[in-house]
Amino acid sequence: MNSPPPSYDLVNEVISRTRIRGTQDDSIPDEVNQWWEEDAAKLTKYPVDPHWIDLDIVRGWMDTCVSTHGFSCWPLNGLDCIPLWLIDVELLCLVPAFPHHRYLALSYVWGNVESSETTLANLEAMQLPGAMSHLNTDISIPKTISHAIGFVKAIGERFLWVDRFCICQDDEEAKSAQINNMGDIYNNALVTIVAASGWDANHGLRGIKGVTEPRNLSPNMGDDYVKSLQPQSSIWYSRGWTFQELCMSKRKLMFHYQAVIWECGSHVWHEAHGCQNTPEIPRPLRITPWSSNEILNTGALLRGHLKLYYRLVNSYNSRNLSYAADASRAFAGVASVLTKRVLPGGFIWGIPVDLFHAALLWIPREPMKRRYPERAAGLDPPSWSWLGWQGRIRDDNWLSFNYHGESDVWQTLISNLEPESEWWYMNRSNEMELEPLRPLDPQTNAALFSPCLTVRAQVGTLAVISGKPFINTSLESRVLRLPNRAQSISKCGILLGDVSETEIEEGTEIECMILSSSKGAIVPFLRYDEMFSFEKTYYNFLWIRREGDLAYRRGIGRVVKSLWDKYIGNDIQTIRLA
């Protein structure tokens, strides 16, 4: 009888090595080092097998969560859509999904792997027992998916959902519906298996005895083990399509480097700790560094807490997409859940219709990269939406410091904002106006609308006083004056959030389209400047650039309303904003 492979107490090894060195690895955040030194040191340490994951521990995590954690780990109400198909890991084929089925879902990085997929032509064959067996040479299954199938069977579960095979890839109607309901699918999964390592779907999992090759943990790896427990450093975490899976999965089991990590609404568990009640885990060691409950279980968004929405957008928009034209589809599952839970008006190209005029006022936090379709039939994501750009946006725009709690600020902004423009949908051919912008039917895929919207608004020009950023480089703020008139008025507004890095020459005139009006300090840093006081009413405008009969967003800003009305006039134009 073969003796079991040796086990090592890697956690104690990490702590002792850190203490012996007397210094800490700069690549490990201080809060992580402190947690391992102080809080984790109080826990009972279980030996960690260097070659094989203890599936009894994994099963214990799942059973403990399901049986004892209650509401914080339950699927969200109102997200009732289920998959069309599941993989039966016993029969190794597709089976129709029913509400009573208990299934796991797989989240992974696809990469450039060529493999089989479910199509209308092979759908019937995929339902034959053994269709997904390695013995069937007609079907090519990437290692990550094959290993996930074996893992689900090894822990005693029956069904697995994987997008590649459980969505019919050339059934456009069904595929669109399933992509829009991806948030529901992951929300309703028993557990989401996160394959966080590797550049593509052939990387596979590690350490599942009888299914995969062994992992290779070393007793001398020291702080590398700590690093392996930092999920946000994974390749998976950088991909745009995996964002909805991160947000909507109530329970996650991450295969990250050589370790496995459990996270649910109540706990984060690592192999060395079993099912102990662990102290508060520092953010770098969490799979999800923020709580979706703050956004999904309250009415905060409808009360004007745009900061929560912008945080969600930032987490998504800093990620990478292989195809820029997928920006809207990869966010569709999140948008669908937000529509069902808190924003019933729906979304149009990532902008919530219920908060449309306020959400248009997004400001870049950094220079942003324009998203253009790589495929000939692709649509340009619109310039007026953050979906048209890759990069982070500010979550503190329009804030002032004269408040008594964050909620008061955002409620005041929304309640004081008055639309000064009218908007219409366009059809996909950009040829006809459909109807005024309104809340969408929850089943409507707003991305089916053209990226162009027709806008009727005041238009005029302002001139840049300072060509370099006025406040700081991250805000990219430039002071504005009236063009060629009222020279005694030294300044009238400010340009915020130019999406590019280019320096604007002093005196450059920019074309502005008025969106809305609101009160409050123009930016917090200038709250003591008489021109930019709390008491004034400002127009919020888009800086636009014309190309033919279309206009594109270039930046955003604010101008004193009384000065605009007196010196610029009331030139109302109808513009097609792309």
Side-chain angles (χ1 to χ4, degrees), residues 269-489:
W269 284 318
H270 304 112
E271 290 176 80
H273 300 145
C275 293
Q276 297 176 82
N277 287 327
T278 54
E280 181 67 26
I281 301 289
R283 286 181 179 270
L285 296 186
R286 298 185 65 89
I287 301 173
T288 312
W290 36 264
S291 172
S292 60
N293 291 339
E294 184 180 17
I295 298 172
L296 298 176
N297 286 339
T298 72
L301 277 176
L302 277 180
R303 294 197 303 272
H305 288 242
L306 279 179
K307 191 165 187 173
L308 299 179
Y309 163 71
Y310 288 139
R311 285 175 183 169
L312 198 68
V313 167
N314 276 335
S315 295
Y316 170 73
N317 218 37
S318 58
R319 291 167 173 248
N320 300 315
L321 290 163
S322 297
Y323 300 101
D326 284 342
S328 181
R329 292 204 306 161
F331 191 72
V334 175
S336 175
V337 170
L338 288 171
T339 299
K340 294 174 183 178
R341 296 285 299 182
V342 292
L343 292 169
F347 286 72
I348 179 163
W349 290 97
I351 301 294
V353 176
D354 291 318
L355 302 171
F356 185 78
H357 291 276
L360 282 174
L361 305 180
W362 56 271
I363 299 175
R365 181 175 291 277
E366 59 194 5
M368 302 181 80
K369 180 182 178 182
R370 186 75 168 98
R371 285 182 169 132
Y372 293 106
E374 291 81 0
R375 293 171 283 199
L379 289 173
D380 286 2
S383 65
W384 46 266
S385 170
W386 55 266
L387 275 174
W389 309 85
Q390 182 180 359
R392 295 179 300 158
I393 63 177
R394 298 189 69 89
D395 61 13
D396 58 354
N397 50 312
W398 317 119
L399 274 177
S400 60
F401 291 157
N402 63 335
Y403 62 90
H404 303 289
E406 181 177 295
S407 61
D408 295 334
V409 173
W410 292 103
Q411 285 179 261
T412 300
L413 169 63
I414 302 305
S415 62
N416 286 337
L417 188 142
E418 293 290 339
E420 301 284 352
S421 51
E422 296 178 283
W423 297 73
W424 288 267
Y425 294 119
M426 303 290 289
N427 66 7
R428 285 290 290 271
S429 62
N430 296 333
E431 290 177 350
M432 64 179 277
E433 297 174 359
L434 295 179
E435 54 188 307
L437 205 65
R438 78 211 188 287
L440 301 172
D441 182 277
Q443 298 305 313
T444 301
N445 179 5
L448 296 178
F449 291 105
S450 164
C452 290
L453 292 178
T454 294
V455 191
R456 183 170 170 79
Q458 295 185 61
V459 178
T461 58
L462 297 172
V464 175
I465 294 178
S466 55
K468 294 184 178 180
F470 180 70
I471 298 175
N472 58 56
T473 54
S474 65
L475 193 57
E476 294 294 312
S477 308
R478 296 163 174 92
V479 175
L480 302 173
R481 63 169 172 80
L482 299 169
N484 301 322
R485 63 190 105 176
Q487 295 297 327
S488 61
I489 301 175

Side-chain angles (χ1 to χ4, degrees), residues 20-41:
I20 291 172
R21 282 201 316 269
T23 60
Q24 295 177 332
D25 190 334
D26 290 340
S27 66
I28 301 176
D30 290 341
E31 61 181 313
V32 173
N33 276 310
Q34 182 178 357
W35 187 83
W36 281 100
E37 286 280 357
E38 298 176 4
D39 295 326

